[in-house]
Amino acid sequence: KCRLSQSTNASSLTGFILLGFSDYPQLQEPLFAVILILYLLTIVGNTTIILVSHVEPKLHTPMYFFLSHLSFLDLCFTSSVIPQLLVNLWDPMKTITYGGCVVQLCVSLALGSTECVLLAVMSYDRYVAICRPLQYTALMHPCLCIALATLAWLSGVATTLIQSTLTLQLPFCGHRQVDHFFCEVPVLIKLACVDTTFNEAVLFVAAVLFLIVPVSFILVSYGYIAQAVLKIKSTTGRRKAFGTCSSHLMVVTIFYGTIIFMYLQPAKSRSKDQGKFVSLCYAVVTPMLNPLIYTLRNKEVKAALRKILLEKLK
């Protein structure tokens, strides 16, 4: 459980006001429509991947095991943020209870951190598949896959316990206006009425551990993959190897690019408008794109979908 701040904050009694996109009143109705559509697509797309990966025996492989976890993460992450955002786009009060803010902070931070580690794990899976194909089954056995997925989830839980506890212990001194559309560590730190140098240092260390380290691991993995692909003499073989990795690389680029921009800047110097739109990208757009990228660029998933639909129509 995330510990609640024990300070005598007025905000702990009355909650917060999520200003969101209040500076752009003309955008709120269009944003509501666009975000609602993207959220529905996220639910449908990620649920489809989870069900197809579970139902189709041919997809009972490590790659789709991790992909199912990624889809589940995206479903939970967007559901912790988007419903409140949609309500606040219509509600002139734009309030969120203190408990609701705590839940948003803890859940979104845990799931985001888990996804950072999971994407690195998926790059290792691709490395073994392409660089050591004859040993793939032996190396990526079910027990290891479960252990790696568990490591990703536990690391997310650990970081949210530390980060959320430190953030919620800050005295907000009655400051209630959160200049963002959901409760996130960098924006809550800016509300504090005390020196937050220690909190920013801890946030920076966490960002290095969950962003820079996984990205470095992914780059090294794909360095070896590139070497292996270049040694393949067959054009068809190269194309197939590239196809298995390109989807993952696209997801990694979009996800890490936006989060690094948000979390590796000092909290005091971050542009409020940039932060909102960047957060909108990884909270709304990326989870919607993941299933599209993996299905539209993946013959196995498309074939499994066609098979399931044909069986249902019979």
Side-chain angles (χ1 to χ4, degrees), residues 159-309:
T159 191
T160 199
L161 286 173
I162 296 168
Q163 289 284 343
S164 299
T165 300
L166 290 173
T167 303
L168 294 169
Q169 283 182 334
L170 290 170
F172 300 123
C173 302
H175 295 174
R176 296 184 59 219
Q177 295 190 341
V178 179
D179 199 4
H180 204 43
F181 62 85
F182 76 103
C183 295
E184 199 171 16
V185 174
V187 292
L188 289 178
I189 286 176
K190 293 172 83 171
L191 290 184
C193 54
V194 294
D195 181 47
T196 58
T197 303
F198 176 73
N199 293 77
E200 290 183 45
V202 173
L203 179 62
F204 182 81
V205 170
V208 170
L209 289 175
F210 284 91
L211 296 174
I212 302 303
V213 172
V215 167
S216 301
F217 183 84
I218 290 168
L219 290 175
V220 170
S221 298
Y222 276 100
Y224 284 111
I225 288 170
Q227 289 179 342
V229 170
L230 290 174
K231 291 177 182 177
I232 299 174
K233 296 179 180 179
S234 159
T235 306
T236 306
R238 284 187 185 182
R239 191 180 296 114
K240 184 178 179 182
F242 176 75
T244 61
C245 299
S246 58
S247 299
H248 181 249
L249 271 176
M250 288 175 68
V251 171
V252 164
T253 303
I254 297 168
F255 179 77
Y256 283 109
T258 52
I259 291 200
I260 285 173
F261 180 88
M262 185 68 183
Y263 277 84
L264 285 181
Q265 290 187 69
K268 305 293 184 186
S269 66
R270 192 176 293 109
S271 163
K272 62 176 185 177
D273 291 335
Q274 280 183 333
K276 290 175 192 176
F277 286 102
V278 167
S279 296
L280 200 61
C281 186
Y282 65 74
V284 183
V285 179
T286 307
M288 183 275 298
L289 286 178
N290 284 354
L292 290 177
I293 290 170
Y294 278 107
T295 54
L296 294 178
R297 298 178 61 85
N298 193 306
K299 292 179 181 178
E300 290 177 321
V301 175
K302 286 190 285 188
L305 274 172
R306 279 195 297 268
K307 178 184 173 184
I308 292 168
L309 289 173

Side-chain angles (χ1 to χ4, degrees), residues 140-148:
M140 298 303 295
H141 53 84
C143 290
L144 178 63
C145 293
I146 292 170
L148 291 173

